[in-house]
Amino acid sequence: MNQIGRFDVCHNTMLTPLSAPLGDTGRTLLVLSDGTLLASTFFADMYRVGTDGTILRHYATHAVPFGRDVSPNFVWVSFLGGAAKFDLQNDVIAAGPFDVGTGTISGIAVVGADVQAIPALSPLVLALLALAAAIAALLRLRT
């Protein structure tokens, strides 16, 4: 049973982790516009996870989600070495894959989309990331 850690950056409080029966080690985690999560594993299995940790859907397409699309029915994924637009409702690649040159995809920014994927990180790195986000928020409030 895998656990998805949660942290409230507004109140600096660790929340109860979600237990999700993913197939193997987590890789990326993307918060979708409806509050559900799109999780991928080391072997590029994708799961839609409910806010209570239940698996809502296991996708047949092997890809790694990295960014939300402007439309809530699509996300951007790493697929066959390129970037592709993935249809969440029909479990198909809707566009691409597009060649990204040499190297690997570590993130995708989509104009108009407001949330990006968070790679699966160690608890220490997640705590440091949460601290950095809290500091950035405080600095923004001061200006």
Side-chain angles (χ1 to χ4, degrees):
M1 183 70 68
N2 296 29
Q3 288 192 332
I4 299 171
R6 301 183 306 154
F7 189 83
D8 182 341
V9 295
C10 295
H11 297 100
N12 195 28
T13 307
M14 187 68 88
L15 302 173
T16 306
L18 297 177
S19 293
L22 303 179
D24 60 80
T25 305
R27 186 167 180 182
T28 62
L29 187 62
L30 188 65
V31 180
L32 300 175
S33 60
D34 64 359
T36 61
L37 304 172
L38 189 60
S40 72
T41 67
F42 182 77
F43 293 109
D45 284 321
M46 284 194 304
Y47 298 89
R48 192 156 192 169
V49 181
T51 56
D52 61 354
T54 58
I55 301 296
L56 302 175
R57 184 166 186 182
H58 176 226
Y59 293 95
T61 303
H62 289 275
V64 178
F66 280 107
R68 285 183 14 191
D69 189 70
V70 177
S71 168
N73 297 325
F74 297 91
V75 295
W76 286 86
V77 298
S78 174
F79 179 74
L80 298 177
K85 187 174 183 176
F86 180 73
D87 183 333
L88 291 167
Q89 291 181 333
N90 298 307
D91 193 359
V92 296
I93 298 296
F98 304 105
D99 184 15
V100 294
T102 60
T104 60
I105 298 172
S106 59
I108 296 174
V110 178
V111 175
D114 57 342
V115 176
Q116 297 302 311
I118 301 172
L121 303 172
S122 70
L124 174 62
V125 174
L126 285 175
L128 291 173
L129 181 62
L131 178 62
I135 290 170
L138 289 174
L139 291 174
R140 187 168 182 168
L141 287 174
R142 295 176 95 192
T143 58

